[in-house]
Amino acid sequence: MSNDEVGANVAISETDERLLDRLTEFSSEQTGLAIAGFAGFLAVWYVAALFQPTYLLPSPVEVSAAFLTELTAPATLAVPFTGVELPGTRLLVKLVQSLYHYVPGLLIGTTLGISAGIAMGWNDRVDSVFTPVTRVLRPIPPLAWIGFAVIWLGVNHKGATFIVAIGSFWINFYSAYGGVEGVSTDLKEVAATLGVDDDLTMIRKVVIPAASPSIMTGIRTSIGQCWMIVVAAELIVGVGVGYEILNTAQNLAMDVSVAYMLVISLVFLVSDGLFRRVERRALEWRA
């Protein structure tokens, strides 16, 4: 290796080190600001709670105590379709009960929404046939279907699953639809010149990969939005984290209600963090 090449490599190495130092410094600053902001929020909350009774505004200390109580209080979980009861704690039992309809609803709505979005975004005839239907149904909020869910499916997890699936469907539908519509014509023409001559291959090898950033955004959005829908959807089944938030609030046990709100926040943070890792791995090709 020549002296010039060695010098160039040393310069590149020094540049990388300076860049790494800047990124580390920036990350540390962000972390410090985040901690300061959260501490400030807790301080304001604590001070405000000093002037209000617990049933109006519980303090962070009272909410923490309620959270620990729910986390440690014994309870049993009935496993659907088996008749088996498993030991657990009250908080974990409520969370699993919510997952019984959150997870199926999210999966069903996501699958149907992405499929419909790709079909309508790709095929003009399919789009023309179903666009009037989507424009009529889209403005109807998922919670407006609670009455039909009870009549069609009964007061059970199926009804709540139906409501969650509707919410997930529309988010993923429009994300996939917009992603497919936004695929460059030039990209499709290049693929055609390279031998991609049928719709299924074009969709599988060109359109879906090109639209995947938008599709992934829709899935990530629905992961969070469906937790919001769960709170009201659980009025159908009368169990779960969402129902516990409403039920305890009606009984003025606001510390318990806020504790279960935090449960939803924590679950969302974990699920969103895990999905972001999956998203980064799936979209590595963009780099």
Side-chain angles (χ1 to χ4, degrees):
M1 182 180 293
S2 66
N3 292 334
D4 291 340
E5 291 176 337
V6 172
N9 289 335
V10 171
I12 292 173
S13 177
E14 291 177 349
T15 301
D16 290 342
E17 288 180 3
R18 288 196 298 269
L19 179 59
L20 181 60
D21 290 340
R22 288 182 182 179
L23 290 174
T24 303
E25 181 181 351
F26 181 69
S27 178
S28 300
E29 181 181 357
Q30 277 192 321
T31 302
L33 290 173
I35 293 173
F38 188 68
F41 167 74
L42 290 178
V44 172
W45 177 11
Y46 181 82
V47 172
L50 292 176
F51 302 96
Q52 300 292 338
T54 301
Y55 66 85
L56 288 181
L57 181 61
S59 71
V61 176
E62 292 168 329
V63 171
S64 299
F67 183 90
L68 290 175
T69 298
E70 296 298 307
L71 184 61
T72 56
T76 56
L77 173 66
V79 181
F81 312 115
T82 64
V84 177
E85 291 189 349
L86 300 176
T89 66
R90 194 152 54 211
L91 188 150
L92 293 177
V93 167
K94 298 296 181 184
L95 178 57
V96 172
Q97 288 171 342
S98 291
L99 293 175
Y100 281 159
H101 41 264
Y102 171 82
V103 173
L106 180 66
L107 292 177
I108 293 170
T110 298
T111 302
L112 294 179
I114 292 175
S115 300
I118 292 174
M120 291 179 62
W122 172 255
N123 192 295
D124 291 338
R125 289 184 177 180
V126 175
D127 189 24
S128 298
V129 170
F130 289 102
T131 290
V133 179
T134 59
R135 289 181 177 176
V136 169
L137 295 180
R138 178 63 188 96
I140 302 174
L143 302 184
W145 295 95
I146 285 180
F148 289 97
V150 172
I151 294 172
W152 294 343
L153 302 170
V155 183
N156 51 40
H157 288 291
K158 294 179 182 178
T161 298
F162 175 72
I163 300 300
V164 174
I166 291 175
S168 176
F169 174 86
W170 290 114
I171 295 171
N172 287 283
F173 168 76
Y174 279 109
S175 294
Y177 183 86
V180 172
E181 269 200 328
V183 175
S184 170
T185 302
D186 293 339
L187 184 62
K188 290 182 281 189
E189 290 176 352
V190 169
T193 60
L194 294 175
V196 180
D197 55 0
D198 63 280
D199 285 354
L200 288 178
T201 303
M202 182 71 75
I203 291 172
R204 182 168 56 88
K205 292 189 174 182
V206 179
V207 174
I208 291 180
S212 58
S214 180
I215 293 173
M216 288 292 186
T217 299
I219 296 173
R220 185 181 174 189
T221 303
S222 64
I223 288 173
Q225 291 289 333
C226 285
W227 274 114
M228 301 180 188
I229 298 171
V230 159
V231 174
E234 288 184 345
L235 291 172
I236 297 175
V237 290
V239 296
V241 173
Y243 177 78
E244 203 65 21
I245 291 173
L246 299 174
N247 185 50
T248 53
Q250 289 174 351
N251 291 299
L252 299 182
M254 298 305 297
D255 53 342
V256 180
S257 182
V258 176
Y260 277 103
M261 292 181 190
L262 294 179
V263 171
I264 288 182
S265 296
L266 291 173
V267 172
F268 166 72
L269 288 173
V270 172
S271 58
D272 184 64
L274 292 174
F275 184 78
R276 288 183 67 182
R277 290 191 175 189
V278 173
E279 184 180 22
R280 284 196 295 267
R281 293 289 297 273
L283 300 179
E284 280 182 343
W285 57 270
R286 290 194 301 174

